[in-house]
Amino acid sequence: MTILGSAVFAALLSVTVYIMVCGCIGKTASIFGYSVLKVVSGSMEPSIHEGDYIYIKKTDTDSLKAGDIISFYSQDDSIKGEINTHRISEVLSDGTFVTKGDANKIEDSVTVQKVSIIGKYYGKLRFFKWLGSFASTKKLLILFVIIPTVCMAVYEVKTIAEIKIYSNREEALKAAEEEKEKLMREAVEKEVQRLKMQENEKKEANSFESGKDNEG
C-alpha cells in the first residue's frame, strides 16, 4: 500500500466512522456540502424506510414545491427540535410548508418555517444501512477501530521491516563494493611491484652483461 493509498483509506475510514457515529446519536453529518442523517421512523415508507441513511442538501427554500421531500427541525411539541423528514404537500401563501409522511394518514399538525429547514432530500446511502444492520456498538468498535488499527500496525511493521532489509542490503552492497575496490587496489599495487622488480632484474642483468663485455 502506497502513502497515497494509506491516506485515502484513512480518509474514507474517518468519513465512514463520522457518519455512523452521527447516525447512532441522532445528529446530521456534514460532508462536502451535503448532510447525512439516519431515518429513525417509518413515517415515509415505502419511499424511505426506518434505518435508511439519506443525504440532503441545503437549498433555496423559495424553489421548494409540493412533492419535494425535506428534512427539518420539527416544531411539534411532541418531537420539538428533533429532525423530521417528510414530503411537502402544500406551500402556503405565508411561505410556510405543510408536510406529511407518506405512510401517515393525516398531514403534520404544525407547518414548517423556512428557517427550520435543513435541506432537500436527494437520495439514500445504502452502504451505511448495510453496516448499521449488524453493527452494535461493540461491532462498530471492532469494525472501525480495532481491525483498522491492527491492519495499520501490521502495515507499519511490514514497512519498517522492508526498510531495515533494504538498509541492510544497501550496507552489504556497499561493503562488498569497498572490498572489491580494496582487492583491486592490492592487485594493482602487487602488479606495479612485480613490474618494478622485473625492471630492476632486467637492469641488473644488462649491467652484468656489460661488465663481462668490458672484461673481454
Side-chain angles (χ1 to χ4, degrees), residues 147-160:
I147 292 178
T149 300
V150 171
C151 290
M152 292 299 289
V154 170
Y155 171 70
E156 291 299 328
V157 170
K158 179 174 177 290
T159 301
I160 292 171

Side-chain angles (χ1 to χ4, degrees), residues 170-180:
E170 287 293 304
E171 290 176 0
L173 289 173
K174 183 178 179 181
E177 190 66 26
E178 290 176 351
E179 183 65 20
K180 180 180 177 182

Side-chain angles (χ1 to χ4, degrees), residues 16 20 35 47-48 50 54-55 59 74 97 117 123 128 133-134 147 155 158 160 162 172 176 183 186 200-201 214 216:
T16 301
M20 292 298 293
S35 293
S47 301
I48 302 172
E50 181 179 356
I54 63 173
Y55 60 97
T59 188
S74 177
F97 302 89
I117 296 175
F128 293 99
S133 66
F134 68 89
I147 292 178
Y155 171 70
K158 179 174 177 290
I160 292 171
E162 288 176 348
L183 292 174
E186 290 177 351
N200 290 335
E201 289 175 356
N214 290 334

Side-chain angles (χ1 to χ4, degrees), residues 38-197:
K38 181 182 179 182
V39 177
V40 296
S41 76
S43 64
M44 279 298 293
E45 292 183 354
S47 301
I48 302 172
H49 297 275
E50 181 179 356
D52 281 346
Y53 281 78
I54 63 173
Y55 60 97
I56 58 179
K57 187 175 184 180
K58 192 171 183 63
T59 188
D60 180 9
T61 54
D62 291 333
S63 68
L64 294 172
K65 60 186 182 301
D68 289 338
I69 298 174
I70 58 172
S71 293
F72 54 92
Y73 293 106
S74 177
Q75 297 304 310
D76 189 321
D77 289 337
S78 61
I79 54 172
K80 191 169 184 177
E82 294 184 12
I83 298 174
N84 204 0
T85 301
H86 279 176
R87 191 184 301 276
I88 297 173
S89 58
E90 185 181 356
V91 181
L92 300 180
S93 58
D94 62 359
T96 60
F97 302 89
V98 178
T99 55
K100 175 181 173 296
D102 289 358
N104 295 343
K105 294 181 179 180
I106 60 174
E107 295 172 336
D108 299 333
S109 59
V110 180
T111 58
V112 179
Q113 305 288 328
K114 290 182 178 181
V115 294
S116 299
I117 296 175
I118 302 171
K120 179 181 176 181
Y121 165 81
Y122 277 86
K124 303 176 185 178
L125 297 171
R126 301 182 189 280
F127 170 71
F128 293 99
K129 184 176 183 179
W130 173 77
L131 286 180
S133 66
F134 68 89
S136 63
T137 302
K138 184 181 291 186
K139 288 179 180 178
L140 279 176
L141 180 65
I142 294 172
L143 184 63
F144 292 117
V145 178
I146 296 177
I147 292 178
T149 300
V150 171
C151 290
M152 292 299 289
V154 170
Y155 171 70
E156 291 299 328
V157 170
K158 179 174 177 290
T159 301
I160 292 171
E162 288 176 348
I163 292 173
K164 184 67 176 176
I165 292 171
Y166 178 79
S167 177
N168 291 340
R169 185 169 59 191
E170 287 293 304
E171 290 176 0
L173 289 173
K174 183 178 179 181
E177 190 66 26
E178 290 176 351
E179 183 65 20
K180 180 180 177 182
E181 291 178 357
K182 179 182 176 182
L183 292 174
M184 289 181 65
R185 284 197 303 270
E186 290 177 351
V188 170
E189 289 174 358
K190 287 181 179 180
E191 182 64 18
V192 169
Q193 290 177 359
R194 188 186 70 79
L195 291 174
K196 284 183 177 180
M197 290 178 62

